[in-house]
Amino acid sequence: MADGKFTLYIRKVIVNPMLGRKQMAVELLHPEMAGLKRSEVKAAVAKKFKASEDRIAVFGVKAKFGGGRSSGFVTVYDDVDARVKYDNKTNLKRDKIGDLPGRTARKMAKELKGKRKRVKGTAKSKVVAGKKKR
């Protein structure tokens, strides 16, 4: 593999103050490389926009037919809090940012659903997992 040389073209920059970010389409030229790592793209965008890498989300990178070119999307958030608030959970999990709740087991979720069916009113929110008390 080459020493990571590629050209980054930033297209269609939109400043989105409602979501606290700049969003853009990027075009990548990498003639000596098969593909690019998201971390390399992040580093290049961080350098251009003078932002830390944890504020940048890179997604939708697809190679063009024939090789040597790729395109994708990048969002640069104003701060990490804005990213945690507005970025989708897949991007946050991929970059290990924020704390996402762990999933409950399928069997446990079904048991909780059954218990909620048997309880009336506001008590549904108080139902917890576990065995019945006798």
Side-chain angles (χ1 to χ4, degrees):
M1 193 165 138
D3 54 347
K5 291 193 177 182
F6 65 94
T7 308
L8 174 80
Y9 291 116
I10 296 174
R11 308 253 188 247
K12 301 179 184 174
V13 177
I14 299 170
V15 178
N16 191 339
M18 295 288 282
L19 297 178
R21 70 185 184 194
K22 295 179 192 86
Q23 50 199 49
M24 63 208 77
V26 293
E27 243 177 75
L28 306 155
L29 270 65
H30 47 92
E32 292 97 32
M33 301 166 68
L36 287 172
K37 294 181 181 178
R38 281 192 175 87
S39 57
E40 293 173 344
V41 177
K42 258 191 196 185
V45 172
K47 191 175 171 186
K48 266 197 172 159
F49 282 88
K50 297 179 181 74
S52 60
E53 289 189 25
D54 57 345
R55 290 172 30 196
I56 298 170
V58 178
F59 56 97
V61 179
K62 292 184 179 176
K64 299 286 184 191
F65 180 74
R69 285 177 89 99
S70 299
S71 63
F73 301 98
V74 175
T75 52
V76 180
Y77 286 88
D78 295 342
D79 52 20
V80 180
D81 295 332
R83 181 167 183 198
V84 170
K85 187 174 179 183
Y86 296 118
D87 203 3
N88 62 16
K89 288 179 175 53
T90 307
N91 285 343
L92 293 174
K93 189 174 180 183
R94 182 185 294 144
D95 293 339
K96 298 173 182 69
I97 294 174
D99 52 333
L100 297 172
R103 292 193 46 168
T104 57
R106 182 177 167 91
K107 176 87 173 167
M108 190 61 66
K110 286 178 178 271
E111 286 176 8
L112 280 171
K113 180 182 170 191
K115 283 183 181 181
R116 282 195 193 100
K117 282 183 177 177
R118 290 191 290 273
V119 178
K120 288 186 179 179
T122 57
K124 288 184 186 287
S125 62
K126 297 174 188 161
V127 171
V128 292
K131 292 186 178 179
K132 283 186 182 178
K133 293 181 181 175
R134 294 180 187 226

